[in-house]
Amino acid sequence: MQRQGLGGSAAILFRATGLVLLLAHLLLVAWLTLRPRDVLWVTAANLEPFAGIQAALVLGPLEAARHIGEGLLLLSPLGVLLPMAGGRLAVSPWASLTRTVAAGVLLSLGIELLQTGVPGQVVDIDSILLNTCGVALAHLAVVPAGRARLRRRLLHPGGRSALRGGGRGQEPRTMRDEGSQGATPTIPRVGIAP
């Protein structure tokens, strides 16, 4: 059974790049969110959804835009980097979105739980909501169009195909369904003598 996706060295390079960028982004997020802060006072934890966003809206449009923008942008690269690290082209868009958003929720929740032990950092349920929305928006904005573009480029009849070695002047080989190969062989039962 062959996994559908990029072929050969292109797949390795694509996935390796995705993994390196993903690791770099996660290190940056850890540094931004889990380092202790020296502050004179700390607000209480926000466990009520949208309360932090409403408080930021009261402070004015610039403060609201900064607060919402930070929440949306912090984990939004995961919406692109997680599917890139997976390296699959032939995948259901909804399954990809679901997996990516679920990973974003779990990572955001993990960050918020780890922040309970970091001086100067507080738990905010709105951060989880905004981070999740950022991951979903980035995924929807980039991944389906990017996969479609890669599929067109790799399977274009006139160009060079990276899937299964098609080159210039050759008919490019496309992914095919490996249908049924016949009936499953059976082994006759052998009786056991008493």
Side-chain angles (χ1 to χ4, degrees):
M1 178 156 120
Q2 190 172 25
R3 184 176 166 186
Q4 293 181 354
L6 291 174
S9 63
I12 294 169
L13 180 63
F14 193 74
R15 292 183 77 186
T17 303
L19 287 171
V20 167
L21 291 174
L22 180 64
L23 180 63
H25 177 69
L26 290 176
L27 288 173
L28 176 67
V29 167
W31 182 76
L32 288 173
T33 59
L34 299 176
R35 64 185 168 141
R37 294 184 350 190
D38 293 329
V39 293
L40 298 175
W41 56 274
V42 177
T43 60
N46 173 24
L47 300 177
E48 181 184 338
F50 304 110
I53 295 172
Q54 288 175 347
L57 289 171
V58 169
L59 296 175
L62 289 177
E63 182 63 26
R66 186 189 67 77
H67 178 74
I68 293 170
E70 285 176 356
L72 289 174
L73 292 176
L74 181 66
L75 294 181
S76 64
L78 291 179
V80 176
L81 294 176
L82 287 172
M84 186 177 175
R88 289 190 263 175
L89 287 180
V91 66
S92 164
W94 295 111
S96 176
L97 178 66
T98 303
R99 279 193 306 266
T100 304
V101 169
V105 168
L106 291 174
L107 185 64
S108 182
L109 181 62
I111 289 169
E112 293 301 319
L113 291 176
L114 287 173
Q115 283 181 341
T116 59
V118 178
Q121 300 283 0
V122 291
V123 175
D124 187 4
I125 193 74
D126 290 340
S127 293
I128 296 172
L129 296 172
L130 290 172
N131 292 339
T132 303
C133 287
V135 168
L137 290 172
H139 183 89
L140 289 171
V142 176
V143 173
R147 280 187 175 142
R149 183 173 183 210
L150 282 172
R151 279 193 302 265
R152 272 194 316 271
R153 203 165 111 202
L154 293 172
L155 299 174
H156 188 267
R160 185 177 162 161
S161 174
L163 289 176
R164 299 190 192 158
R168 292 199 186 272
Q170 295 177 344
E171 185 66 30
R173 296 185 215 165
T174 60
M175 292 179 280
R176 66 175 192 257
D177 186 19
E178 302 270 340
S180 174
Q181 296 179 357
T184 304
T186 58
I187 301 172
R189 297 201 179 256
V190 178
I192 299 177

